[in-house]
Amino acid sequence: MSGLIDTVAWVRTENGRILCARPRGKDVFYIPGGKREGDESDLQTLLREIEEELTVRLDPSTAVHVGTYEAGAPGLPPGTVVRMSCYTAEYEGTLSASSEIEETAWFSYADRPLVPPVDQLLFDDLRADGELA
């Protein structure tokens, strides 16, 4: 049986690099964000997850959808697809890893192999748009 893992992610690029986070207990970096809870909208999920992970508040009035990507992932049951709806948004506060996050890093395109397949699709588009060095 196939399944869908529905996630929302925050795309933050600065100086040709994208912000990534490694959750505690994992050895893979991800674009910050997470799974929606209940009937949350994309925006509600985004605001909650980013505040939980990076201790900053996103400004909902600046959120812009930049793309939705789908891919399988290693370690998931066959047929399982991760859908990642990606948004940019301005933020207030100081970016710092919360208790959920082991570390954050700013990745260039060269770091693409370190992120999951669905994140790699975003990396490809950002590279094509000149946003990733």
Side-chain angles (χ1 to χ4, degrees):
M1 165 153 166
S2 63
L4 177 70
I5 299 173
D6 189 18
T7 68
V8 181
W10 181 42
V11 178
R12 182 67 191 185
T13 56
E14 291 180 15
N15 305 315
R17 296 181 178 272
I18 184 167
L19 180 64
C20 293
R22 184 169 66 83
R24 198 165 292 287
K26 301 261 177 90
D27 57 5
V28 177
F29 280 87
Y30 298 90
I31 307 298
K35 298 177 193 151
R36 79 178 76 239
E37 292 180 356
D39 58 358
E40 280 182 328
S41 68
D42 280 5
L43 192 56
Q44 289 169 322
T45 304
L46 187 70
L47 297 174
R48 176 183 52 75
E49 284 286 347
I50 297 310
E51 191 161 4
E52 285 175 7
E53 292 184 0
L54 299 171
T55 71
V56 294
R57 298 176 92 105
L58 298 185
D59 178 349
S61 69
T62 65
V64 176
H65 181 253
V66 293
T68 298
Y69 302 89
E70 291 189 0
L76 292 177
T80 300
V81 171
V82 178
R83 175 188 297 149
M84 182 172 73
S85 302
C86 300
Y87 292 82
T88 57
E90 296 305 312
Y91 69 92
E92 294 173 12
T94 303
L95 284 170
S96 63
S98 73
S99 57
E100 290 183 13
I101 300 298
E102 190 79 42
E103 64 178 313
T104 58
W106 291 92
F107 280 2
S108 69
Y109 191 76
D111 299 307
R112 181 182 181 273
L114 302 176
V115 299
V118 72
D119 297 42
Q120 291 178 5
L121 299 174
L122 170 66
F123 271 53
D124 293 343
D125 277 3
L126 291 173
R127 173 78 182 258
D129 293 342
E131 294 219 25
L132 272 192

